[in-house]
Amino acid sequence: MTVTPQSPELRRELGLGDAVVTGLGAMLGAGIFVTLAPTAGAAGSGLLVALAIAAVVAYCNANSSARLAAKYPSAGGTYVYGRERLGMFWGYLAGWGFVVGKTASCAAMALTAGFYLWPEHAHAVAVAVTLALTAVNYVGIQKSAWVIRLLVAVVLVVLVSVVVAVAASPDVDAARLDPTSGLSPTGLLEAAGLWFFAFAGYARIATLGEEVRDPVRTISRAITIALAVVVVIYALVTVGALAVMGADALSDSNAPLVDVVRAAGTPALVPVVTIGAALAALGALLTLILGVSRTTLAMARDGHLPRALAAVHPRFHVPHRAEVVVGIVVAVLAATFDVRDAIGFSAFAVLIYYAIANLSALTLEGPREWWRKAVPMAGLIGCLVLGFSLPATSVIAGVGVLAIGAALYWLRLLRRRSTADH
């Protein structure tokens, strides 16, 4: 993509460690603390099988995203890849779905932090943390990276503590791990789709492509490392949660990991897990704002959003106007709505986003052509199957949002053609 002087490039300041931590912060926060209960409700003890399915699809998507990011190391992620490989409409549709879906996710993460930190004033806390993290992002990507490092370190310690507590518990029952208990094929696919919400964070690495040093090597390695670490952590925590509580109890829990440490006989860990969950949500929120603002920047550069949002701060080298607008919208949503139920809608939007990424990767040429085609094809099919296996309300809302975005695109195009004709 050619960047005009009015839309200067962002500064490349992130190394491999920063990129890995950014992906970890997004996935850990949006994942195990949020999706464990609804996935258990959908899949029963087949929760682990659903996790494996989601992990395979996530690997295919990660592979496609890494190859595309190496070729197009610009801010915007699949918006850029779809535009360059499939045409402007497909890139726009991916970007529209990402911005709308992930803005709802931002509000959900802010409210999650609010309910853990101060339940009686969750909305006020959600607004406060949103504005605070927007300010952190405003003063530079390196400042954000340091905050994310701290949050990820704390969350990892908390999750390891949960695993250790379960391992030492006398109430562990291996029979609760039977994957056939309460399992149905439709529930399994629905759970896999919901699990995918927890894996979507590696997109943040790709959307920061314009701020990563040596993006051809760094992005591919960072996505692979972050995804592998998260799969292992999710598997360990899920096995422990099922073994000590069972799927039915997990599905009824509003704070599953808090209930897990209680069931394991270690109530002293409850405040630790509570703080860890809040920090995980904050880490996810921080990286979500980063990703949404960079996609907003890319779409503004092409005129699909107000071009004023394409401005890059001359000192901090961040898309400051996009970050401020995203932060304000998220704060308003968090103050006025309970959007914790946005998981299904966001999962659908992200799965369509990655379907377009896989479709874009199918157009790439390279060695070992059969393998290069097989992985994105599997990812494309997997995304579509999981997306349309989500609850009907999520699918309807997702299709509706994409239809509105498509209508706006074609109306804008018709207006431009009409203006050109006159």
Side-chain angles (χ1 to χ4, degrees):
M1 183 182 72
T2 302
V3 181
T4 66
Q6 290 74 29
S7 179
E9 292 185 353
L10 304 174
R11 179 181 290 175
R12 297 193 182 278
E13 296 184 308
L14 301 181
L16 177 62
D18 297 321
V20 169
V21 170
T22 297
L24 289 176
M27 285 186 276
L28 291 176
I32 205 71
F33 291 98
V34 181
T35 58
L36 195 56
T39 51
S45 294
L47 182 58
L48 284 170
V49 180
L51 174 61
I53 294 172
V56 170
V57 176
Y59 168 77
C60 295
N61 298 342
N63 182 278
S64 295
S65 296
R67 290 179 61 207
L68 289 160
K71 188 173 182 63
Y72 304 103
S74 299
T78 301
Y79 166 72
V80 174
Y81 314 149
R83 182 192 66 194
E84 296 296 329
R85 305 303 305 183
L86 304 173
M88 182 60 77
F89 173 73
W90 292 103
Y92 166 85
L93 196 64
W96 171 266
F98 182 85
V99 168
V100 175
K102 286 303 183 180
T103 298
S105 295
C106 286
M109 289 298 100
L111 274 173
T112 298
F115 278 108
Y116 273 104
L117 291 172
W118 197 357
E120 297 80 7
H121 301 281
H123 289 277
V125 173
V127 172
V129 298
T130 297
L131 296 179
L133 294 182
T134 299
V136 170
N137 284 338
Y138 190 98
V139 296
I141 189 71
Q142 278 293 348
K143 304 296 190 304
S144 301
W146 277 106
V147 173
I148 295 169
R149 280 195 194 102
L150 176 61
L151 294 176
V152 167
V154 173
V155 172
L156 285 175
V157 170
V158 170
L159 293 177
V160 169
S161 299
V162 172
V163 172
V164 171
V166 170
S169 173
D171 297 319
V172 168
D173 185 356
R176 297 188 180 115
L177 299 176
D178 179 6
T180 63
S181 175
L183 179 65
S184 72
T186 55
L188 187 66
L189 291 175
E190 179 182 327
L194 292 171
W195 262 125
F196 198 83
F197 176 85
F199 285 115
Y202 57 78
R204 232 68 72 239
I205 301 172
T207 55
L208 299 176
E210 201 171 308
E211 294 160 278
V212 174
R213 297 192 299 269
D214 190 13
V216 172
R217 295 178 66 251
T218 299
I219 293 175
S220 176
R221 293 172 62 195
I223 288 176
T224 302
I225 293 170
L227 183 59
V229 170
V230 168
V231 169
V232 171
I233 292 171
Y234 284 178
L236 290 174
V237 174
T238 302
V239 167
L242 283 173
V244 79
M245 285 185 67
D248 290 341
L250 273 178
S251 66
D252 291 334
S253 175
N254 291 322
L257 292 190
V258 169
D259 291 337
V260 165
V261 294
R262 284 194 180 120
T266 52
L269 283 178
V270 168
V272 175
V273 174
T274 298
I275 293 173
L279 291 178
L282 292 177
L285 175 60
L286 182 62
T287 59
L288 280 165
I289 293 174
L290 282 173
V292 174
S293 61
R294 270 58 181 179
T295 302
T296 299
L297 165 74
M299 295 182 73
R301 282 171 167 171
D302 290 334
H304 296 302
L305 292 173
R307 291 190 182 274
L309 298 179
V312 174
H313 197 284
R315 176 184 173 189
F316 300 125
H317 300 277
V318 298
H320 57 296
R321 292 178 183 171
E323 287 183 338
V324 169
V325 169
V326 169
I328 291 173
V329 172
V330 171
V332 170
L333 289 175
T336 54
F337 297 100
D338 186 352
V339 291
R340 289 173 296 170
D341 295 330
I343 292 176
F345 163 70
S346 180
F348 181 86
V350 171
L351 283 163
I352 297 303
Y353 175 88
Y354 280 114
I356 295 174
N358 283 300
L359 192 60
S360 301
L362 280 171
T363 67
L364 294 173
E365 298 178 356
R368 294 185 297 173
E369 193 67 23
W370 68 272
W371 171 251
R372 297 290 185 179
K373 298 293 185 184
V375 171
M377 179 59 72
L380 173 61
I381 295 171
C383 285
L384 293 176
V385 170
L386 295 186
F388 285 96
S389 298
L390 288 166
T393 53
S394 300
V395 175
I396 292 170
V399 170
V401 165
L402 292 176
I404 291 171
L408 291 173
Y409 176 88
W410 292 112
L411 286 173
R412 187 183 303 110
L413 186 63
L414 289 173
R415 190 185 316 124
R416 287 178 179 174
R417 287 177 177 174
S418 176
T419 303
D421 290 340
H422 291 83

